[in-house]
């Protein structure tokens, strides 16, 4: 089994910054893509950003230029630096990891979610 533990959410004023972290632990041989998704009330979960093991990144158009995703492969951890936050960034943010365990297979795991609230 694999656990993803997120931290760093909270309440911030518009224009402020937050940094999210997500650490994966458990039966991990390697992790391919890691990413952050978010879900606002009444809306579908959407991709915010993801990053491959080699460091290639992909961002939603709505966060380009404001958010930066990074990862530490040695620590099985992914980060999301969020700058110039807007009220529309308010959502529950979920970490996702594409894990290859010791053994066989490839599995998709989710964190429990962390609330980000941006006040106007």
């Amino acid at each position: 089994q694999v656990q993803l533990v997120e931290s760093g959410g909270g309440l911030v004023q518009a224009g402020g910054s937050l940094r999210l972290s997500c650490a994966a632990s458990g039966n991990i041989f390697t992790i391919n893509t890691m990413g952050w998704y978010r879900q606002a009330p009444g809306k579908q979960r959407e991709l915010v950003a993801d990053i491959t093991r080699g460091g290639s990144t992909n961002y939603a158009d709505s966060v380009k230029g404001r958010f930066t995703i990074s990862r530490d492969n040695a620590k099985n951890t992914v980060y999301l630096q969020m700058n110039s936050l807007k009220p529309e960034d308010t959502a529950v943010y979920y970490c996702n990891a594409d894990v290859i365990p010791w053994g066989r297979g490839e599995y998709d795991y989710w964190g429990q979610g962390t609330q980000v609230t941006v006040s106007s």
Side-chain angles (χ1 to χ4, degrees):
Q1 279 290 352
V2 171
Q3 296 79 40
L4 301 183
V5 178
E6 299 141 340
S7 60
L11 173 65
V12 64
Q13 288 188 334
S17 298
L18 284 174
R19 188 186 193 220
L20 305 183
S21 299
C22 172
S25 62
N27 181 15
I28 299 170
F29 171 66
T30 192
I31 302 177
N32 288 331
T33 300
M34 300 185 81
W36 290 96
Y37 290 70
R38 67 186 181 188
Q39 188 167 18
K43 294 188 176 181
Q44 291 189 331
R45 191 174 296 189
E46 63 176 1
L47 174 69
V48 176
D50 61 24
I51 183 168
T52 67
R53 181 169 181 80
S56 296
T57 59
N58 176 48
Y59 294 93
D61 287 343
S62 59
V63 307
K64 283 181 182 177
R66 299 188 298 121
F67 291 10
T68 302
I69 190 170
S70 61
R71 65 188 283 176
D72 184 333
N73 291 330
K75 295 181 179 180
N76 290 327
T77 299
V78 63
Y79 307 96
L80 186 68
Q81 178 67 43
M82 305 185 292
N83 298 329
S84 302
L85 282 159
K86 304 176 181 180
E88 50 264 43
D89 294 318
T90 295
V92 177
Y93 284 69
Y94 296 91
C95 173
N96 176 264
D98 185 16
V99 176
I100 298 176
W102 293 97
R104 298 179 62 181
E106 187 169 351
Y107 302 93
D108 197 46
Y109 290 94
W110 292 89
Q112 79 283 359
T114 186
Q115 177 70 45
V116 171
T117 303
V118 184
S119 63
S120 57

